Amino acid sequence: MFQKLRTDLVKKLAGIKLVLVNADGFISAGALVHGAHGPNGFHVRALKGNDVEFVAFSKSRDELVSSAAERLGITLHQGISENSRFYSGIKEDYAVSDDQVAFICRDNADIPVMKRVIFTAVAQDAPLEVKAESYFAAYSAGSGVVGEIAALILVAKKYAGGWSE
């Protein structure tokens, strides 16, 4: 069976070189939130083979967040207090422009960065104000969003016309 990926998604996702993730949404009430797809690094590894980097950041220094990022194969920076400044530094470190960055987030503090990048995705449990600023509301929660968005990027890169099997 063939499915057509939305043309607007293909246009935004095909040129992604960096996926930035606010990993604070990985945990809730002290427990890891996997979402519908679970913390599966398959799509992340496939994209790394296609020159897409994944970087996560968190305000806290939490072992649960660290272990989720490790399972997904994502570089994690902890103790980040200012999202916009961190984003500017990461963009420079990876030599990417705003139109090459996808941002996965869920918090009000993420909105300034959301307004700069080409593609934003929020977790299903994100506040309405954040969803209103996002381009795509994921079906998953927590670390499951990473796998969901990675799968979309992989399809967009593989099928530039938007077709997938």
Side-chain angles (χ1 to χ4, degrees):
M1 174 200 278
F2 287 95
Q3 294 179 319
K4 183 158 172 88
L5 188 61
R6 289 178 14 202
T7 304
D8 60 320
L9 283 176
V10 172
K11 287 180 181 178
K12 288 189 177 284
L13 296 175
I16 296 297
K17 293 189 177 196
L18 174 68
V19 179
L20 184 63
V21 180
N22 182 338
D24 289 330
F26 283 9
I27 56 172
S28 177
L32 191 60
V33 178
H34 293 310
H37 299 86
N40 180 341
F42 173 77
H43 294 109
V44 172
R45 285 187 297 279
L47 283 170
K48 284 185 170 187
N50 286 305
D51 298 323
V52 177
E53 293 295 328
F54 284 77
V55 175
F57 66 93
S58 176
K59 289 179 185 172
S60 67
R61 296 183 183 276
D62 190 298
E63 184 59 37
L64 287 173
V65 171
S66 180
S67 65
E70 186 176 325
R71 273 194 302 277
L72 288 166
I74 297 175
T75 302
L76 175 65
H77 299 266
Q78 293 181 306
I80 303 301
S81 60
E82 218 296 304
N83 298 2
S84 292
R85 189 174 325 166
F86 176 73
Y87 172 65
S88 295
I90 284 296
K91 226 173 53 163
E92 188 175 310
D93 290 349
Y94 286 88
V96 295
S97 60
D98 293 333
D99 64 346
Q100 297 173 314
V101 179
F103 184 33
I104 300 171
C105 55
R106 70 165 306 280
D107 298 323
N108 286 322
D110 296 322
I111 292 174
V113 175
M114 292 172 74
K115 291 182 178 190
R116 294 173 61 186
V117 302
I118 193 166
F119 179 82
T120 55
V122 294
Q124 68 182 18
D125 60 343
L128 187 56
E129 307 83 47
V130 180
K131 284 182 178 177
E133 293 293 331
S134 179
Y135 190 79
F136 185 86
Y139 296 99
S140 302
S143 58
V145 177
V146 176
E148 183 177 338
I149 300 307
L152 286 174
I153 294 169
L154 191 60
V155 169
K157 287 186 173 295
K158 188 172 181 181
Y159 302 98
W163 290 96
S164 66
E165 292 185 33

